[in-house]
Amino acid sequence: MLLELLVKNLALIEQARVEFGEGLNILTGETGAGKSIIIGSVNMALGGKASRESIRQGADSAYVELLFSVDTPEQEEALRGLEIAPSEDGTLILSRRILPTRSVAKVNDETVTTARLRQITSLLIDIHGQHEHQSLLNIRKHLEILDAYAKNQVQPWKEKIRLEYKNYRDWKERLEAMEGGQEERLREADFCRFEIQSIEEAALKEGEEEELTAAYRKLSHARKIAEGLSAAYEALDQDGIARAVRAVDQVAGYDEELQTVRNQIYDVESLMNDLSRSIKEYMDDCTFDEGEFRRIEERLDLIHGLQAKYGNSVSAVLAALEEKKKRLEELENFDEIRRNVEQELQASEERLEADCGALSEIRQKAGEELAGRMRESLIDLNFLDVRFVMEFRRLDHYTADGFDEAEFLISTNPGQPVMPLRAVASGGELSRIMLAIKTVLADTDEIPTLIFDEIDTGISGRTAQKVSEKLNEISGTHQVICITHLPQIAAMADSHFEIAKSVRDGRTVTEIHRLNKAESIDELARLLGGAQITDAVRQNAREMKELAERSK
């Protein structure tokens, strides 16, 4: 559940904090007061588009923060699946700071990408505005709604179909890759044999390149090595250290402390003798073999040439050899392998057909049930003579979701045939149809918070009253936040907030505050009466509020 919204320096809002409650939360206000800013701020916090133009004039940045409570073990488990854990008090803080050049999103003080933020928030809150109403005109949305309604039945089959569809696509792509003429395959086989022979004749061994490179480096610098060692050998003055040993020996008997000095000189003499001997031995063995040098050079050229063609290492070249052997085997046994691929593809297609058929039967049965419940819900929303059905068509191809295409058809007037929504429904009707869908899905929808914006587009009177009752029904199992300009909907509020615009210190600011019962009645009177509020209008507002409370 959304507990709190905090907004700082966003558009006309300097700072606003809203504490939402359970049930139905209603937001009202004059046109232009900033109701869209509130929904926009929530959208930003959820990972929606954020621009530097939204930063309040004179501020360095804008900030939006949402505080959620995680109320069920299922919700907590789903969040942990995304590696997100609520704090010890069971809350989760989502924030978004908008800067002139970038934005920073955080979940419980951990910086996340906006894509990851949207993934997380999809488990917590769902916003329904005019854009989503329009999404009903896309028939792909209809199958999504059906699958959400019957998810416990369809989800196991959809998971099975996704795996089989991948298997089917793999075999189909492999068969398509085998297309081509006999002459082309023969040319490819000859080329494979040539490449295999060139690699095998090289007789590459792991580690050989490193050994040859070290030997090549030594031979190519043999003259410099010899000159350097000769200079070092000459610099080791054997006579000097020998004279030092004799001099110390002559006086060591006069003082016991000189024994340490003599031992150190002996150690130096021994070390220098060993060093001179090692240098002399290396110099004696260090001979430049022109033939060996050329052999190593040619071998390295061969290895590097193969690496340039098949990979940047000996292991990559050897791996390419195995791939080419495998490809040659396929080409030499093409007919047999093709028959096997065709058999595997046919078997996969038969399994996919059976699974898609089983899923389609479940969907069609669930579609009838969904259509029946939709009719009931639409009647509650003042579609008095409505007919609502779900039509199924089979696609001419398989997909990862089966082979079904489904579409909602509706008739809102007696004697009219059912027709697609895009041909019948107005904007106001689409909003009520979406509300009916949300009502029907309420039992299966695990998202705890629903926000409705522009749900009252194009409606009034009795229809508005029906919409308010439907929102109240949904709020029995979900937290609902709704922006409205209709008194019938506002009267049903469990928590009523007013969004108002004023001028402070010469600057326009938008503020939001929670209304008590008396203030709520005054706001209902404003919605009913417009600019002039009479005692009769105020009494009408009071009766409307009392009737709404009795209906809860």
Side-chain angles (χ1 to χ4, degrees):
M1 183 174 93
L2 179 59
L3 300 177
E4 190 174 290
L5 165 67
L6 172 63
V7 184
K8 293 182 180 180
N9 296 320
L10 184 70
L12 297 178
I13 299 177
E14 185 174 13
Q15 179 165 322
R17 186 185 297 272
V18 189
E19 295 182 1
F20 294 105
E22 296 180 351
L24 183 57
N25 295 261
I26 294 294
L27 286 74
T28 59
E30 294 277 7
T31 300
K35 297 189 292 294
S36 61
I37 300 174
I38 298 298
I39 293 299
S41 67
V42 174
N43 266 318
M44 286 184 188
L46 299 179
K49 183 180 179 181
S51 65
R52 62 183 180 181
E53 287 77 16
S54 62
I55 301 174
R56 181 174 169 79
Q57 188 175 3
D60 296 328
S61 64
Y63 180 78
V64 184
E65 180 181 286
L66 301 177
L67 174 65
F68 288 92
S69 63
V70 180
D71 303 312
T72 65
E74 292 78 13
Q75 194 178 14
E76 184 174 349
E77 183 179 353
L79 287 169
R80 290 190 186 279
L82 297 176
E83 298 182 352
I84 294 296
S87 57
E88 292 183 359
D89 61 355
T91 60
L92 200 66
I93 298 176
L94 278 63
S95 67
R96 186 100 177 268
R97 185 174 297 280
I98 298 94
L99 300 162
T101 57
R102 61 193 176 94
S103 68
V104 180
K106 292 186 176 182
V107 177
N108 279 357
D109 289 329
E110 177 187 346
T111 302
V112 297
T113 63
T114 52
R116 179 158 168 72
L117 182 65
R118 286 192 290 269
Q119 189 180 23
I120 294 165
T121 57
S122 67
L123 301 173
L124 303 170
I125 191 168
D126 203 356
I127 295 184
H128 308 284
Q130 188 174 13
H131 175 72
E132 188 181 5
H133 305 157
Q134 296 298 317
S135 73
L136 285 176
L137 301 180
N138 185 342
I139 65 172
R140 285 196 297 269
K141 182 73 174 178
H142 302 178
L143 192 61
E144 291 178 17
I145 292 170
L146 173 62
D147 287 353
Y149 173 75
K151 64 180 179 180
N152 291 336
Q153 302 170 62
V154 305
Q155 196 59 34
W157 283 101
K158 287 179 70 173
E159 291 174 1
K160 185 179 180 183
I161 287 171
R162 285 194 183 100
L163 292 174
E164 191 57 59
Y165 178 73
K166 182 181 182 305
N167 187 49
Y168 166 77
R169 288 295 308 166
D170 289 344
W171 285 115
K172 190 171 184 180
E173 289 172 4
R174 186 171 177 185
L175 184 62
E176 290 170 353
M178 299 179 78
E179 296 299 330
Q182 176 73 12
E183 186 176 339
E184 181 182 344
R185 288 196 297 274
L186 290 174
R187 281 198 302 268
E188 186 182 355
D190 285 340
F191 189 62
C192 274
R193 292 187 191 97
F194 167 76
E195 291 185 307
I196 291 169
Q197 182 180 359
S198 64
I199 298 174
E200 288 183 334
E201 286 180 350
L204 300 179
K205 290 180 276 188
E206 292 284 0
E208 179 187 12
E209 182 188 7
E210 291 77 6
E211 294 177 5
L212 291 173
T213 300
Y216 181 80
R217 186 184 300 113
K218 175 182 175 181
L219 288 172
S220 60
H221 295 91
R223 179 175 294 177
K224 288 184 178 180
I225 294 172
E227 291 173 352
L229 289 179
S230 179
Y233 185 78
E234 292 176 2
L236 293 174
D237 189 351
Q238 299 284 339
D239 292 338
I241 193 64
R243 288 195 302 270
V245 170
R246 289 194 298 272
V248 173
D249 279 341
Q250 290 173 4
V251 299
Y254 303 131
D255 187 349
E256 290 185 1
E257 294 182 6
L258 292 175
Q259 296 295 326
T260 300
V261 176
R262 184 170 64 178
N263 291 338
Q264 290 175 338
I265 289 179
Y266 285 167
D267 290 341
V268 171
E269 180 185 37
S270 176
L271 181 61
M272 290 183 65
N273 288 335
D274 291 344
L275 182 57
S276 295
R277 187 164 46 252
S278 296
I279 292 174
K280 186 67 169 63
E281 289 174 354
Y282 188 95
M283 291 172 64
D284 291 341
D285 293 339
C286 186
T287 58
F288 180 77
D289 186 335
E290 180 72 27
E292 178 67 6
F293 179 75
R294 294 303 170 203
R295 185 194 71 79
I296 293 173
E297 188 175 47
E298 291 172 2
R299 182 66 176 170
L300 282 173
D301 286 344
L302 175 62
I303 293 173
H304 293 157
L306 291 172
Q307 288 176 346
K309 290 179 66 176
Y310 305 114
N312 57 6
S313 66
V314 170
S315 60
V317 175
L318 295 176
L321 173 62
E322 295 306 314
E323 286 296 319
K324 294 187 179 304
K325 286 181 177 179
K326 181 179 177 182
R327 178 57 179 160
L328 180 60
E329 183 182 0
E330 290 178 351
L331 292 168
E332 291 177 339
N333 300 281
F334 177 82
D335 293 336
E336 181 182 353
I337 292 174
R338 182 187 176 93
R339 282 194 297 272
N340 290 338
V341 171
E342 288 174 340
Q343 290 171 2
E344 291 290 352
L345 176 60
Q346 182 179 353
S348 177
E349 184 173 357
E350 290 173 356
R351 291 191 297 269
L352 188 58
E353 173 71 23
D355 291 345
C356 290
L359 174 60
S360 184
E361 288 183 12
I362 293 171
R363 279 173 167 163
Q364 291 184 46
K365 184 177 180 180
E368 292 180 8
E369 183 181 320
L370 173 61
R373 294 193 60 183
M374 281 292 298
R375 282 193 294 273
E376 295 173 3
S377 190
L378 288 169
I379 289 171
D380 289 344
L381 289 168
N382 217 31
F383 285 90
L384 299 181
D385 295 299
V386 68
R387 293 168 60 206
F388 192 92
V389 299
M390 194 164 199
E391 181 181 83
F392 285 83
R393 295 181 291 273
R394 174 170 177 156
L395 297 170
D396 61 0
H397 59 278
Y398 299 105
T399 75
D401 285 327
F403 56 44
D404 289 316
E405 182 178 70
E407 183 174 12
F408 294 141
L409 304 179
I410 191 170
S411 169
T412 57
N413 297 303
Q416 275 191 339
V418 291
M419 298 178 67
L421 296 182
R422 61 180 179 275
V424 178
S426 65
E429 288 173 330
L430 283 176
S431 68
R432 281 188 287 158
I433 292 169
M434 179 58 79
L435 181 58
I437 289 169
K438 287 301 168 183
T439 305
V440 172
L441 295 181
D443 293 338
T444 59
D445 192 351
E446 295 175 357
I447 299 175
T449 299
L450 305 176
I451 295 183
F452 291 97
D453 185 25
E454 299 188 28
I455 198 70
D456 52 12
T457 299
I459 63 172
S460 60
R462 179 62 179 158
T463 300
Q465 181 62 33
K466 289 290 189 178
V467 169
S468 73
E469 292 169 1
K470 191 60 64 175
L471 288 171
N472 181 59
E473 179 184 340
I474 298 175
S475 71
T477 54
H478 295 68
Q479 180 193 41
V480 176
I481 300 170
C482 179
I483 292 180
T484 185
H485 66 276
L486 293 179
Q488 295 93 328
I489 295 176
M492 200 66 74
D494 295 306
S495 300
H496 190 173
F497 301 88
E498 181 190 20
I499 302 170
K501 186 165 63 175
S502 61
V503 178
R504 182 190 302 159
D505 298 328
R507 298 182 67 183
T508 302
V509 295
T510 291
E511 298 176 311
I512 180 169
H513 67 279
R514 187 169 186 160
L515 304 177
N516 58 33
K517 184 174 181 179
E519 291 170 332
S520 179
I521 290 172
D522 287 342
E523 176 66 2
L524 291 178
R526 183 191 67 78
L527 295 172
L528 283 166
Q532 188 172 2
I533 301 174
T534 64
D535 290 341
V537 171
R538 185 170 281 104
Q539 179 59 29
N540 189 9
R542 186 176 293 107
E543 291 177 357
M544 182 177 285
K545 184 66 178 176
E546 290 172 355
L547 285 171
E549 289 177 346
R550 286 200 295 269
S551 69
K552 283 185 171 290

